[in-house]
Amino acid sequence: MLIKIFSGLSVIATGITVFAALMGQTWYNLIWITALLLVGYFLAIIVAYVLLMFIVTGLTINMKKPQEKPSKFWIKQLTMIAEAMCILFNVRIHATGIEKIPTDKRFLLVCNHRALFDPIVKIPLLKDYNVIFASKAENFKIPIGGRIMYKTGCLAMDRDNNREALKTIKKMAEYISSDEASACIYPEGTRNKNDELLPFHAGSFKVAQKTGAPVVVMALRNTDKIPRRGPFRKTDVYIDVLKVIDGEFVKSNSTQVTAEIARNLIQNKLDEERKNESKEKVAT
């Protein structure tokens, strides 16, 4: 989608540049004219899109009405927005182990949580897997984004209310059981500002235990640096799929056992990368 937009802008800017050349403009002026046109057109499209989404989401999305299944239309919109944000904030994603993710069954994805950008960088990467996210209730109040999240099947997770949290887990299990979507949850329960993981909430793994779905364990690094660096400095984000814990194992063992395995896998990866970074700094 973004490629099409840029292609269209390039054609328009080229046409106007040629016209300006015919009018006797110098090459120096032509370069500035083209650059300003490209930036102006792109910003105009972004503003128009935001206004359109504000109107459409406000008029058509009722968040009091239960969302029975993820909307394919709004999933595409959310993916496009996430891709655009990665481009605008100058994010380069490095992913490994993606081939381990099951393509023939639904799964529960668990990952460490560092920043608000965590789901944003994962959405484009997982667009072929139809994954919905658990998010804190406050995020659904974000203009435009909160309503789109709701339509894509994302669910509010209230860690302070066990009854509401269980409802969310039950709904996630329904999505997986009905083959509507896979689910992503952050077992730490909140964003962690350090490399040392917070304790995992074993209850997060009840989704997999109830459904017998495999657990995809993922480690995420550097998303916390994006707001400080982007858009003028590039941020390299690293996403590693470490292991897929078999669904039968998850179903036949306690959630505490599965949570401990997942946490150790992620913590070991973070420790390993931290040591590698220290060695590189010493070497330089």
Side-chain angles (χ1 to χ4, degrees):
M1 182 66 180
L2 288 172
I3 293 176
K4 292 180 180 178
I5 291 174
F6 279 116
S7 298
L9 293 178
S10 298
V11 171
I12 295 172
T14 301
I16 295 178
T17 302
V18 171
F19 175 77
L22 294 174
M23 296 299 291
Q25 296 292 332
T26 64
W27 281 108
Y28 178 80
N29 288 338
L30 291 179
I31 292 172
W32 276 107
I33 290 171
T34 302
L36 290 173
L37 285 172
L38 283 171
V39 172
Y41 288 143
F42 186 60
L43 290 176
I45 287 174
I46 291 176
V47 172
Y49 181 80
V50 170
L51 290 174
L52 178 63
M53 285 296 103
F54 183 81
I55 295 170
V56 172
T57 56
L59 293 177
T60 65
I61 298 177
N62 181 4
M63 297 185 67
K64 294 181 180 180
K65 181 180 178 181
Q67 183 67 20
E68 298 300 330
K69 62 180 182 179
S71 165
K72 292 182 180 180
F73 171 79
W74 288 109
I75 287 173
K76 289 181 180 179
Q77 301 307 309
L78 186 62
T79 301
M80 188 174 73
I81 291 171
E83 289 175 339
M85 290 187 70
C86 287
I87 292 173
L88 291 173
F89 278 86
N90 202 3
V91 177
R92 178 179 294 179
I93 299 173
H94 306 269
T96 65
I98 300 300
E99 70 281 355
K100 298 176 184 176
I101 301 177
T103 56
D104 59 343
K105 62 183 73 174
R106 296 298 177 186
F107 53 86
L108 174 69
L109 173 66
V110 297
C111 184
N112 57 313
H113 196 13
R114 294 304 303 269
L116 286 173
F117 269 89
D118 291 357
I120 293 172
V121 299
K122 289 203 289 288
I123 287 171
L125 192 68
L126 300 171
K127 61 183 178 182
D128 295 331
Y129 296 93
N130 193 18
V131 179
I132 60 104
F133 293 80
S135 183
K136 62 181 182 180
E138 290 84 350
N139 288 341
F140 289 86
K141 297 178 182 179
I142 299 173
I144 303 175
R147 291 178 178 272
I148 294 177
M149 285 169 57
Y150 183 74
K151 290 297 289 184
T152 61
C154 292
L155 301 167
M157 179 65 76
D158 189 346
R159 296 291 184 184
D160 298 323
N161 188 322
N162 290 334
R163 179 177 293 182
E164 292 301 315
L166 285 173
K167 286 182 180 179
T168 298
I169 289 173
K170 183 180 177 181
K171 185 62 178 178
M172 278 189 163
E174 288 176 3
Y175 277 146
I176 291 175
S177 297
S178 62
D179 198 28
E180 290 289 349
S182 296
C184 175
I185 198 167
Y186 300 101
E188 291 175 282
T190 186
R191 280 176 286 163
N192 180 14
K193 297 180 180 180
N194 303 304
D195 288 326
E196 186 68 30
L197 295 176
L198 299 173
F200 275 18
H201 294 272
S204 302
F205 295 83
K206 287 182 179 179
V207 175
Q209 190 184 56
K210 286 176 176 291
T211 59
V215 174
V216 177
V217 184
M218 177 183 284
L220 187 64
R221 291 177 288 130
N222 281 3
T223 49
D224 54 312
K225 297 178 181 179
I226 296 173
R228 301 197 302 268
R229 298 175 64 87
F232 301 108
R233 289 190 295 166
K234 179 186 69 177
T235 303
D236 290 297
V237 170
Y238 298 91
I239 301 175
D240 302 290
V241 176
L242 306 176
K243 184 181 178 65
V244 178
I245 305 174
D246 182 71
E248 288 301 318
F249 176 89
V250 175
K251 197 169 185 177
S252 59
N253 285 272
S254 70
T255 54
Q256 188 63 49
V257 169
T258 307
E260 194 64 27
I261 292 173
R263 187 180 186 280
N264 287 338
L265 285 167
I266 297 173
Q267 187 65 69
N268 290 339
K269 178 63 177 178
L270 297 178
D271 292 343
E272 176 187 345
E273 294 301 331
R274 187 164 62 247
K275 290 179 181 177
N276 290 338
E277 289 175 0
S278 297
K279 289 180 181 179
E280 290 176 1
K281 287 181 180 180
V282 171
T284 55

